[in-house]
Amino acid sequence: MKHRRIPKRRAAMAGAGVVALIGAAVTFQTANASEDTPTPKPDTLSIAKAGNLASSLHKELGSDAAGTYYDAQARNLVVNVLDDNAKDAVESAGAKARLVENSLAELKSARTTLTDKASVPGSSWATDPATNKVVVTVDRTVKGADLKKLSSVVEGLGEKAELKHSKGEFKPFIAGGDAIFGGSSRCSLGFNVVKDGAPHFLTAGHCTEAVKSWSEEQGGPAIGENVGSSFPDNDYGIVKYSGDTAHPSEVNLYNGSTQKITKAGDATVGQEVQRSGSTTQLHDGKVTGLDATVNYGNGDIVNGLIQTDVCAEPGDSGGALFAGDTALGLTSGGSGDCSSGGETFFQPVPEALEAFGAEIG
């Protein structure tokens, strides 16, 4: 993907998104729907229209909704609800209603329990509206007493959580769309942005915490200096361009073409996305969870991440996650590789833009 034009290479960036709906839920007395009343057929929606409908239903239902996700195959918005009254409202609006057991308040409580009692290096958890559970994932390094402790906590949460195992190892992908270099480190440029009227770019915070000045080539002249960084807890950094480096709002697709980026947005579960990075170039997949917490070890715990099944490898850190012309995330870390697959986590772009007072451009 291409983030910026420069004399010898292009810098990667990408993004795409849709407003995600997640609201706290409370239980109401279930009303008996008429068995003779046919279930309305949900509307066929683009991801953008699904996001707009999700926002509208969130305002209408408030705490009566228990999470949403996009069914990419059927092209429907699916809304989790706890009673038939909310179900009728969802179906009347053109979405698919799904009666579930767990409210978002209950799932939030489960996440708090995990944070308090089972936060071990090599673990992550995220709310999955498709299963109506908190999905806890452990990498291959979690063994012995740590695995026993975490398994016990998950078991104690009953139907509100489930445990999965990853074959890889959770780690930030620092090594390095297009590559950016700082000393012996390599990361990827995420998105070109404008801050205070001047050109900047976003990348991963674990990159900017380790490196202060960035070049287009190993040992080459600097193209930018860090002006802001946040890691752990968050994983975003911003670099101000120096000199006259060109910086179009584009992402390198690594096939001779680019994707123009016009805006930033929030990801939604089930959304089809693409990632561009300097090590493995362009790959695609789906969003599998939101507001994920990842413990990379050494006290490096990052919250509020987008979880995906898109592959990535060291050197892809900071690279762009996008959908169409919308910037979604910055590559943070994960497990696996682009041969065997795995999980990859991304820092949401809107949060980084807000923190730095920047905008896509």
Side-chain angles (χ1 to χ4, degrees):
M1 305 172 187
K2 196 184 199 179
H3 301 271
R4 53 199 163 78
R5 292 183 191 278
I6 49 181
K8 298 181 181 178
R9 356 171 20 116
R10 302 178 185 189
M13 64 190 279
V18 58
V19 177
L21 161 65
I22 300 275
V26 294
T27 303
F28 291 88
Q29 181 66 33
T30 300
N32 292 321
S34 171
E35 295 180 358
D36 298 328
T37 303
T39 300
K41 184 178 180 180
D43 294 343
T44 299
L45 302 169
S46 66
I47 188 68
K49 290 183 178 180
N52 292 335
L53 178 57
S55 296
S56 176
L57 284 170
H58 176 53
K59 294 177 181 178
E60 179 180 348
L61 297 175
S63 61
D64 291 353
T68 68
Y69 63 97
Y70 183 66
D71 183 339
Q73 184 173 2
R75 300 186 67 197
N76 299 148
L77 174 69
V78 183
V79 182
N80 292 339
V81 295
L82 300 172
D83 61 57
D84 285 328
N85 288 332
K87 179 176 180 289
D88 290 344
V90 167
E91 291 175 344
S92 296
K96 181 177 180 179
R98 178 168 170 259
L99 285 168
V100 296
E101 293 294 326
N102 300 316
S103 71
L104 285 179
E106 291 170 323
L107 296 181
K108 181 178 180 180
S109 177
R111 290 170 58 94
T112 299
T113 298
L114 287 162
T115 299
D116 293 342
K117 298 182 178 181
S119 183
V120 301
S123 64
S124 72
W125 48 82
T127 301
D128 178 12
T131 62
N132 190 227
K133 295 181 179 181
V134 175
V135 178
V136 182
T137 306
V138 295
D139 70 16
R140 64 188 179 193
T141 69
V142 182
K143 302 175 182 178
D146 281 346
L147 180 58
K148 183 177 180 179
K149 178 175 72 173
L150 196 152
S151 298
S152 176
V153 173
V154 171
E155 184 177 351
L157 292 171
E159 291 301 311
K160 294 190 287 292
E162 65 175 304
L163 181 64
K164 293 185 176 182
H165 294 262
S166 173
K167 295 180 180 179
E169 179 180 348
F170 291 145
K171 53 189 176 183
F173 285 135
I174 189 167
D178 289 352
I180 50 175
F181 296 87
S184 60
S185 298
R186 174 169 61 88
C187 285
S188 296
L189 188 151
F191 300 94
N192 282 320
V193 299
V194 176
K195 173 180 167 59
D196 300 327
H200 295 65
F201 66 81
L202 296 177
T203 189
H206 68 267
C207 295
T208 51
E209 288 292 318
V211 177
K212 301 304 180 185
S213 178
W214 296 95
S215 302
E216 178 192 359
E217 298 177 345
Q218 189 80 53
I223 63 167
E225 303 285 334
N226 291 348
V227 294
S229 183
S230 181
F231 179 83
D233 189 29
N234 301 301
D235 198 357
Y236 50 71
I238 189 168
V239 179
K240 184 177 182 179
Y241 279 112
S242 55
D244 58 357
T245 302
H247 45 85
S249 188
E250 300 172 353
V251 171
N252 189 351
L253 299 181
Y254 285 97
N255 61 2
S257 63
T258 61
Q259 169 65 57
K260 186 175 180 62
I261 300 299
T262 64
K263 59 184 179 294
D266 296 320
T268 192
V269 172
Q271 183 177 10
E272 296 179 342
V273 293
Q274 292 181 296
R275 177 199 57 76
S276 178
S278 62
T279 299
T280 57
Q281 302 185 356
L282 184 68
H283 287 273
D284 57 21
K286 290 185 178 180
V287 175
T288 59
L290 298 174
D291 196 21
T293 294
V294 185
N295 189 328
Y296 290 124
N298 299 316
D300 294 337
I301 300 174
V302 185
N303 299 297
L305 299 179
I306 303 165
Q307 183 171 345
T308 75
D309 62 7
V310 185
C311 71
E313 297 180 11
D316 288 326
S317 275
L321 180 75
F322 62 101
D325 65 350
T326 306
L328 292 177
L330 305 166
T331 306
S332 175
S335 67
D337 54 42
C338 288
S339 296
S340 61
E343 302 83 20
T344 303
F345 301 92
F346 297 84
Q347 163 68 49
V349 168
E351 181 184 5
L353 293 175
E354 182 178 1
F356 294 129
E359 59 185 17
I360 294 293

